């Protein structure tokens, strides 16, 4: 071991406090860098897993024409770059007509998947496979699986020559006829088929999404019939999904794919490739993630260099005399620099491994404690057992973080090392360079002398006398050092207050109350939609039947107490003059501009929303409204309560409450012959049937109005027996106030008596969760029971409010945790900078302190001087910090106004915390300064002048 190495290690052992502080700084900076990178790599891995789960693991997709299919499929089956490959043959397309209101009229016909390479699980994981709702997938020739929307539907001949037909309402075992070999023409219509074949329905599946390239999703067709692989010997084209390995860039993957699929004649899974490191300019998610890491990492590096650099500045300042002695004995500048850098290396050997371990442990703890939040973000839902995301980081990344931390350490020590080598031996030993007026202070003195006026008495001198004068003089001559302290304090205050503001307003947004009336008291809501939409009477009767089935099922799920079924729908109704208030007229005119539904006299003709409740709930609501609780068993009188509250959302003021009704007495409900029509007010102010028709030349739509005598099939009178001025708790799950239409509440007996007047397809069933019941398991059980009850007659979805609240709480908890970590770390960095700056200032003024003590400045005066200096820093730091904090919080609050009308408020708890933090930091600095001053030996300090 060399002389300078021994000198360095002895210096570290002798100055243990400084060494420990520096090591802590290295540990903190290394842990922060490692934590940021480890979090980013773990999130990137979770994004990759989510993409594979929701979109499949395919990298290349193509539709191969028959001429190229055999060659391409053969290469894919044997190519070593291919890890998994799967094909599906497309037999053609079919049109169809039905007795139901289905959203599409074109059906694609393709086979079940066939594995080309890899295991069956690998191949089926290339894309999202359909979920079988009932029955099974086709296995033998002549079997077909259809979307669940076809259940109960009769497919009829549309006269196109390439249509799909059925022998009746489709169910398991039904016979359907499908055209084979029909391609789409330039207008998107199926052409002439090569043949037709009969199939037996063996299953129903849940429809999928084209945008995700799901297995049954087609751009050209809205839905798909799946047949067995042996049913399509001569396909129109063959769909292929492929995943690969061994490529280092997107371009190399494209170079491999071009000979097989043709140049650019295929699709790449760009989103997945971005997470796999084969990114391109479109991978904005990964670019954003990398950008965030770069920005945060840059801030950490700059802060770490300042923090650790201050520690080394203290080290150099404490040993200035030692460096002077070494220089006088012949040590070169290079050797002096190497001494400081060797000290940095020794500290790094201890601090960097500890920082790496602390960073990884901290990220692991954060991921574990926030598992539910990550489940909510990356899986879209929560389960009874939180899964979270794993800590993912490679050894190469850890080595990179160690190297980066070491470079930060050397960069922090380089400037102090350079200063140590540049000071001459005489100046270093005498320390004459330590006490000098700044350039600004010298200019101020010169201006005062030139003016011939007495200098203004500093405020600190007027308050604290001689101690204040000495503090004022030191602050003026050390302005750059003071600015460093003030800026650090200002930033810490701004960051703490901003963190509090983010937390405050985010909590407000997530817990904003319902200003429209009572909120729902249910824990879960089962929402069921009738899938069989035909004429109004049949649809409403079918919905009532589903409602009875749901009510009967509701008692069979353990852990849940059912509420009352709510059936919702619409009605075409005309209300006389005075029925709609001026606020309602403005509201409806704004949301239904050009529809002609509202008149200035308060009359209305158009669509109304109706919720039907059971007799007990109806009686309770009538009592609340002060009305009689008559029912509608005879079908002649259809009583209703007007829900006189709607939500009006504006970009400037958020949610406002409007009372849309004036003095409604009656309304006439109509069953229109054409279900595509709706009511409106005609030129004479009376109700007419209005239909919007396409012009057929891409020029838009035209309006056609028909008199009621020709358009109406039946009618009835609705009598308003009262009104509800707020949303009652019994209807809190129905979201009735959020629709830009008039709303009425009626007894279910009205729907039973006159089902043809209403179009009702929606059912809501609220549930209360029993104490101690698991919300996730219970919600899953309810979903399974509802699916079994509804079958192919509709769709059922459980709104698990307990799970949603836990999801929101988990995400907010993670958000608060990250904000807290960020603010605490920034505060620690600011604290370290302030403490080190003040400590350096005290160390560099040891000669000055000794002189002051030698001329009679006592301990009390000395304490007053240091307190005055720190008070000046605190007042300026707090003043600027609170001023900028208010501005930053106001900007953040302003940005929230377009989406939420929340009042401006400062997070006073965080403001108080910032003030106490500043006082605590400066208090520690004063205590340290006093401790150093008590240990000061006047003779040793003044002996420096002996040379």
């Amino acid at each position: 071991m060399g002389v300078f190495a021994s000198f360095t290690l002895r210096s570290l052992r002798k100055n243990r406090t400084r060494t420990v502080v520096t090591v802590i700084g290295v540990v903190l900076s290394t842990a922060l860098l490692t934590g940021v990178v480890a979090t980013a790599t773990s999130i990137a891995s979770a994004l990759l897993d989510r993409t594979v789960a929701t979109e499949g693991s395919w990298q290349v997709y193509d539709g191969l024409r028959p001429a190229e299919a055999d060659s391409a499929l053969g290469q894919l089956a044997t190519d070593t770059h291919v890890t998994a490959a799967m094909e599906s043959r497309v037999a053609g397309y079919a049109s169809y007509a039905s007795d139901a209101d289905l959203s599409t009229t074109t059906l694609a016909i393709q086979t079940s998947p066939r594995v080309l390479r890899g295991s069956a699980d690998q191949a089926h994981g290339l894309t999202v496979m359909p979920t079988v709702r009932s029955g099974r997938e086709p296995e033998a020739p002549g079997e077909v699986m259809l979307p669940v929307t076809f259940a109960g539907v009769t497919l009829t001949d549309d006269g196109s020559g390439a249509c799909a037909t059925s022998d009746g309402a489709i169910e398991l075992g039904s016979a359907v006829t499908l055209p084979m070999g029909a391609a789409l023409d330039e207008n998107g219509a199926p052409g002439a088929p090569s043949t037709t074949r009969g199939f037996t329905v063996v299953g129903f599946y849940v429809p999928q999404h084209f945008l995700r390239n799901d297995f049954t999703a087609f751009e050209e067709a809205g839905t798909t019939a799946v047949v067995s692989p042996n049913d399509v010997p001569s396909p129109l084209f063959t769909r292929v999904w492929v995943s690969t390995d061994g490529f280092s860039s997107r371009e190399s993957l494209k170079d491999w794919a071009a000979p097989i699929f043709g140049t650019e004649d295929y699709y790449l899974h760009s989103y997945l490739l971005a997470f796999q490191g084969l990114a391109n300019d479109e991978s904005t998610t990964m670019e954003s993630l990398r950008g965030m890491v770069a920005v945060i990492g840059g801030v950490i590096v700059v802060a770490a260099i300042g923090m650790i650099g201050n520690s080394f500045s203290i080290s150099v300042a404490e040993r200035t005399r030692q460096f002077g002695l070494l220089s006088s004995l012949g040590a070169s500048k290079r050797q002096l620099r190497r001494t400081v850098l060797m000290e940095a290396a020794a500290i790094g050997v201890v601090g960097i491994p500890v920082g790496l371990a602390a960073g990884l442990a901290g990220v692991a703890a954060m991921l574990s404690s926030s598992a539910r939040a990550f489940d909510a973000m990356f899986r879209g839902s929560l389960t009874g057992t939180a899964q979270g995301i794993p800590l993912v980081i490679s050894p190469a990344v850890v080595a990179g973080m160690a190297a980066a931390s070491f470079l930060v350490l050397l960069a922090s020590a380089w400037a102090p090392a350079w200063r140590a080598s540049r000071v001459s031996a005489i100046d270093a030993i005498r320390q004459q360079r330590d006490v000098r007026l700044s350039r600004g202070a010298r200019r101020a003195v010169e201006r005062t002398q030139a003016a011939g006026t007495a200098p203004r008495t500093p405020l600190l001198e007027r308050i604290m006398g001689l101690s204040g004068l000495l503090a004022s003089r030191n602050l003026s001559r050390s302005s750059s050092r003071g600015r460093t302290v003030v800026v650090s304090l200002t930033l810490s205050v701004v960051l703490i207050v901003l963190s509090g503001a983010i937390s405050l307003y985010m909590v407000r947004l997530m817990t904003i109350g319902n200003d429209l009336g009572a909120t729902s008291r249910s824990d879960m809501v089962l929402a069921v939609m009738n899938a069989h939409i035909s004429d109004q009477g049949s649809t409403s009767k079918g919905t009532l039947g589903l409602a009875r089935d749901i009510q009967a099922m509701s008692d069979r799920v353990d852990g849940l107490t059912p509420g009352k079924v709510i059936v919702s729908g619409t009605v075409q109704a005309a209300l006389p003059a005075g029925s709609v208030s001026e606020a309602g007229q403005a509201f409806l005119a704004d949301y239904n501009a050009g529809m002609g539904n509202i008149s200035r006299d308060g009359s209305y003709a158009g669509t109304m929303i109706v919720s039907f409740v059971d007799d007990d709930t109806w009686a309770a609501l009538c009592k609340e409204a002060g009305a009689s609780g008559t029912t509608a068993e005879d079908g002649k009188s259809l009583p209703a309560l007007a829900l006189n509250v709607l939500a009006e959302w504006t970009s400037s003021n958020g949610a406002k409450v409007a009372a849309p009704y004036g003095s409604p007495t009656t309304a006439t409900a109509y069953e229109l012959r054409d279900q595509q029509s709706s009511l409106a007010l005609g030129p004479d102010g009376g109700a007419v049937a209005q239909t919007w028709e396409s012009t057929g030349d891409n020029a838009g739509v035209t309006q056609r109005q028909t008199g009621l005598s020709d358009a109406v099939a039946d009618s009835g009178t609705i009598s308003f027996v009262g009104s509800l001025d707020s949303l009652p708790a019994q209807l809190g799950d129905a979201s009735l106030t959020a629709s830009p239409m008039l709303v009425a509440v009626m007894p279910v007996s009205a729907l039973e008596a006159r089902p043809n007047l209403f179009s009702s397809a929606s059912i809501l069933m609220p549930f209360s969760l029993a104490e101690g019941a698991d919300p996730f398991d219970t919600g899953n059980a309810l979903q399974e029971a509802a699916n079994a009850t509804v079958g192919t007659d509709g769709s059922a979805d459980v709104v698990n409010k307990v799970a949603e609240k836990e999801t929101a709480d988990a995400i907010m908890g993670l958000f608060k945790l990250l904000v807290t970590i960020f603010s605490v770390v920034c505060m620690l960095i600011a604290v370290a900078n302030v403490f080190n700056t003040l400590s350096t200032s005290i160390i560099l003024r040891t000669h000055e302190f000794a002189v002051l003590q030698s001329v009679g400045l006592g301990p009390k005066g000395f304490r007053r001087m240091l307190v005055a200096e720190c008070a000046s820093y605190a007042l300026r730091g707090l003043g600027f910090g609170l001023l900028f904090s208010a501005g930053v919080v106001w900007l953040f609050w302003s940005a929230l106004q377009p989406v939420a009308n929340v009042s401006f408020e400062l997070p006073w708890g965080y403001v108080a915390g910032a003030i106490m933090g500043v006082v605590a930091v400066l208090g520690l600095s004063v205590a340290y300064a006093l401790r150093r001053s008590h240990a000061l030996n006047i003779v040793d300090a003044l002996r420096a002048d002996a040379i």
Side-chain angles (χ1 to χ4, degrees):
M1 183 180 296
V3 174
F4 288 98
S6 300
F7 171 76
T8 299
L9 295 177
R10 186 168 60 250
S11 175
L12 291 173
R13 287 193 297 268
K14 184 177 180 181
N15 300 277
R16 293 179 181 177
T17 302
R18 174 180 53 77
T19 302
V20 170
V21 171
T22 309
V23 169
I24 290 175
V26 174
V27 169
L28 182 60
S29 62
T30 304
L32 286 175
L33 282 174
T34 304
V36 169
V37 175
T39 301
T41 56
S42 300
I43 290 176
S45 177
L47 289 171
L48 173 60
D49 293 342
R50 186 188 67 173
T51 302
V52 170
T54 58
E55 300 180 18
S57 61
W58 66 275
Q59 294 176 318
V60 184
Y61 165 81
D62 196 12
L64 299 172
R65 297 299 171 182
E68 59 185 353
D70 290 341
S71 174
L73 295 177
Q75 293 184 60
L76 294 175
T78 58
D79 196 306
T80 56
H81 283 293
V82 177
T83 57
M86 179 180 71
E87 69 157 349
S88 175
R89 299 181 179 187
V90 178
Y93 300 90
S95 62
Y96 59 86
S98 70
D99 61 350
D101 185 19
L102 297 178
S103 59
T104 61
T105 57
T106 303
L107 179 73
I109 306 165
Q110 72 171 16
T111 65
S112 298
R114 185 173 73 90
V115 178
L116 296 174
R117 189 173 177 86
S119 66
D121 290 340
Q122 286 178 312
H124 290 172
L126 289 169
T127 185
V128 179
M129 301 303 295
T131 300
V132 179
R133 173 62 66 84
S134 61
R136 58 176 174 82
E137 296 183 4
E139 298 171 352
E143 296 180 342
V144 66
M145 181 172 66
L146 297 174
V148 70
T149 51
F150 278 42
V153 175
T154 300
L155 300 181
T156 57
D157 192 341
D158 63 359
S160 66
C163 64
T165 60
S166 66
D167 61 352
I170 298 176
E171 58 185 15
L172 293 178
S174 294
V176 297
T177 301
L178 301 176
M180 309 295 283
L184 297 177
D185 60 22
E186 59 183 8
N187 296 319
S194 59
T195 185
T196 59
R197 287 190 54 190
F199 292 86
T200 301
V201 178
V202 297
F204 293 101
Y205 70 89
V206 178
Q208 295 184 287
H209 304 282
F210 163 70
L211 293 179
R212 303 189 317 188
N213 196 23
D214 290 350
F215 179 73
T216 62
F218 279 77
E219 181 179 11
E220 303 86 358
T223 189
T224 304
V226 182
V227 299
S228 70
N230 297 326
D231 278 321
V232 186
S234 302
L236 287 181
F237 62 92
T238 301
R239 306 176 75 192
V240 180
W241 295 264
V242 182
S243 66
T244 64
D245 191 13
F247 297 107
S248 59
S249 67
R250 183 188 182 91
E251 293 303 318
S252 62
L253 175 61
K254 293 171 67 176
D255 292 340
W256 169 83
I260 301 176
F261 303 105
T263 305
E264 300 297 334
D265 189 24
Y266 53 87
Y267 296 92
L268 294 179
H269 196 172
S270 298
Y271 200 54
L272 178 76
L273 293 176
F275 296 126
Q276 292 177 333
L278 306 177
N280 68 338
D281 294 338
E282 299 175 356
S283 56
T284 55
T285 302
M286 286 302 296
E287 287 182 358
S288 299
L289 188 59
R290 293 191 185 101
M292 291 172 59
V293 172
V295 170
I296 297 174
V299 171
I300 293 172
V301 167
V302 171
I305 289 176
M307 178 176 60
I308 300 172
N310 269 334
S311 297
F312 282 105
S313 295
I314 295 174
S315 172
V316 171
E318 286 181 336
R319 294 185 292 157
T320 301
R321 189 165 181 269
Q322 296 176 7
F323 286 124
L325 290 173
L326 290 173
S327 179
S328 67
L329 294 174
S332 66
K333 293 182 178 180
R334 180 180 179 184
Q335 289 173 320
L336 294 177
R337 284 196 301 269
R338 188 187 300 171
T339 300
V340 179
L341 296 177
M342 192 179 302
E343 180 180 334
I347 290 174
V349 169
V350 177
I352 291 177
V354 176
L356 290 172
L360 294 176
V363 173
M366 184 271 291
L367 296 178
S368 176
S369 63
S370 304
R372 302 189 73 79
F374 285 111
D375 281 351
M377 290 188 292
F378 292 106
R379 295 184 173 87
S381 62
L382 293 176
T383 58
T385 302
Q387 301 177 52
I389 63 175
L391 172 62
V392 178
I393 190 166
S394 67
V397 173
V398 175
M401 289 300 96
S405 299
F406 189 72
L407 291 177
V408 169
L409 184 57
L410 292 182
S412 303
W414 181 258
W418 183 82
R419 286 197 299 268
S421 67
R422 296 288 294 179
V423 179
S424 67
I426 298 300
D427 286 342
I429 295 174
R430 293 176 59 87
Q431 298 186 11
Q432 290 179 351
R433 300 179 65 198
D434 293 339
V435 182
R436 291 186 179 180
L437 287 175
S438 66
R439 183 180 301 176
R442 291 198 302 270
R443 289 178 179 176
V445 172
E446 292 172 358
R447 287 195 300 268
T448 302
Q449 291 175 348
T453 59
R456 186 173 55 185
T457 303
L459 177 62
L460 290 176
E461 181 182 357
R462 294 198 296 268
I463 297 175
M464 307 184 74
L466 177 61
S467 299
L469 173 63
L470 294 173
S472 178
R473 291 291 182 263
N474 180 62
L475 292 171
S476 64
R477 74 184 183 189
S478 304
S479 57
S480 61
R481 189 178 299 125
R483 282 194 297 270
T484 301
V485 175
V486 172
V487 169
S488 297
L489 292 174
T490 299
L491 288 176
S492 65
V493 171
V494 170
L495 290 170
I496 291 174
V497 175
L498 178 60
S499 300
I502 293 174
S503 178
L504 172 67
Y505 289 118
M506 289 299 102
V507 169
R508 282 190 178 185
L509 289 178
M510 297 190 71
T511 58
I512 187 168
N514 185 354
D515 296 331
L516 309 177
T519 57
S520 169
R521 294 171 292 186
S522 64
D523 297 317
M524 296 183 190
V525 177
L526 174 61
V528 177
M529 288 295 297
N530 186 355
H532 303 318
I533 307 298
S534 54
D535 63 274
Q536 289 188 172
S538 299
T539 300
S540 297
K541 290 177 181 178
T543 303
L544 286 170
L546 275 177
R548 287 189 288 269
D549 294 340
I550 292 297
Q551 187 73 64
M553 175 275 300
S554 62
D555 293 324
R556 298 197 297 265
V557 181
D558 294 336
L560 290 176
T561 301
K564 300 296 185 178
V565 167
I566 302 172
V567 178
S568 296
T570 59
V571 62
Q572 298 299 318
L575 282 73
S579 298
V580 183
S581 66
E582 292 184 2
Q585 295 173 35
F587 181 90
L588 296 173
D590 182 43
Y591 279 92
N592 302 294
M595 298 298 293
N597 299 119
I598 190 70
S599 174
R600 292 183 178 181
D601 64 0
S603 58
Y604 175 84
T607 305
M608 291 181 61
I609 294 178
V610 184
S611 277
F612 299 95
V613 297
D614 65 284
D615 291 343
D616 292 340
T617 302
W618 171 251
L621 294 179
C622 288
K623 182 178 180 180
E624 181 179 337
S628 61
T630 58
T631 57
E633 284 82 358
D634 57 0
K636 297 180 181 180
S637 173
L638 302 176
L641 291 171
L643 183 58
N644 200 21
V645 55
L646 286 178
E648 180 180 6
W649 287 87
T650 64
S651 59
S652 58
N653 296 315
K656 288 186 175 180
V657 177
Y661 283 101
S663 301
T665 56
T666 61
T668 304
Y670 295 97
E671 178 190 4
L672 301 179
R673 301 182 189 276
D674 183 357
Q675 295 188 43
Q676 304 302 317
S677 301
S678 61
L679 288 184
L681 294 175
D684 60 352
V688 295
Q690 178 175 265
T691 305
W692 297 91
E693 299 177 335
S694 173
T695 59
D697 55 1
N698 297 323
V701 294
T702 58
Q703 183 186 55
R704 176 173 58 88
Q705 293 187 342
T706 306
L708 294 184
S709 59
D710 297 325
V712 172
D714 194 6
S715 63
T717 301
I718 298 175
S719 300
F720 289 100
V721 298
S723 65
L724 298 167
D725 295 328
S726 63
L727 181 66
Q730 297 93 325
L731 300 176
D733 297 303
S735 301
L736 298 176
T737 59
S739 177
M741 286 185 270
L742 296 176
V743 181
V745 182
M746 302 179 70
V748 73
S749 57
L751 181 61
E752 293 171 340
R754 302 293 299 275
N756 60 304
L757 296 181
F758 306 95
S759 179
S760 301
S762 173
I763 304 169
L764 291 177
M765 166 69 81
F767 291 86
S768 297
L769 186 68
E771 185 177 354
D774 183 272
F776 306 100
D777 294 340
T778 305
N780 293 335
L782 176 60
Q783 183 69 67
E784 292 177 1
N787 288 339
T789 301
V790 173
T792 58
D793 293 331
S795 61
D797 295 290
V798 174
V799 180
N800 195 332
K801 296 185 177 182
V802 178
E804 288 181 350
K805 183 178 184 303
E806 291 200 20
T807 298
D809 291 345
I811 294 176
M812 179 55 68
L814 174 61
F815 182 80
K816 287 183 176 181
L817 175 63
L818 295 177
V819 168
T820 301
I821 291 174
F822 178 74
S823 59
V824 168
V825 168
C826 292
M827 183 65 178
L828 288 176
I829 292 174
V831 166
N833 277 327
V834 171
F835 189 81
N836 284 336
T837 301
L838 292 176
S839 301
T840 303
S841 172
I842 293 168
I843 292 170
L844 296 178
R845 293 164 61 194
T846 54
H847 181 268
E848 173 193 347
F849 293 160
V851 171
L852 291 174
Q853 291 186 37
S854 67
V855 298
L857 183 65
K860 183 177 180 180
F862 189 75
R863 287 196 298 270
R864 288 165 61 89
M865 179 186 70
L866 292 178
V867 169
E869 292 181 16
C870 292
S872 175
Y873 294 140
L875 291 175
R876 285 184 288 169
L878 284 174
F880 288 119
L882 294 177
L883 179 63
F884 286 119
S885 296
V888 170
V889 172
W890 183 84
L891 291 174
F892 182 77
W893 169 79
S894 299
L896 293 177
Q897 293 313 292
V899 296
N901 183 25
V902 294
S903 59
F904 176 77
E905 181 181 353
L906 287 173
W908 294 110
Y910 282 80
V911 170
I915 294 174
M916 290 187 292
V918 169
V919 172
V921 170
L922 294 178
L924 290 174
S925 301
V926 171
Y928 179 77
L930 293 174
R931 182 172 177 271
R932 291 300 302 266
S933 65
H934 291 159
L936 182 64
N937 187 294
I938 299 177
V939 176
D940 290 340
L942 295 176
R943 189 175 294 168
D945 291 331
I947 297 178

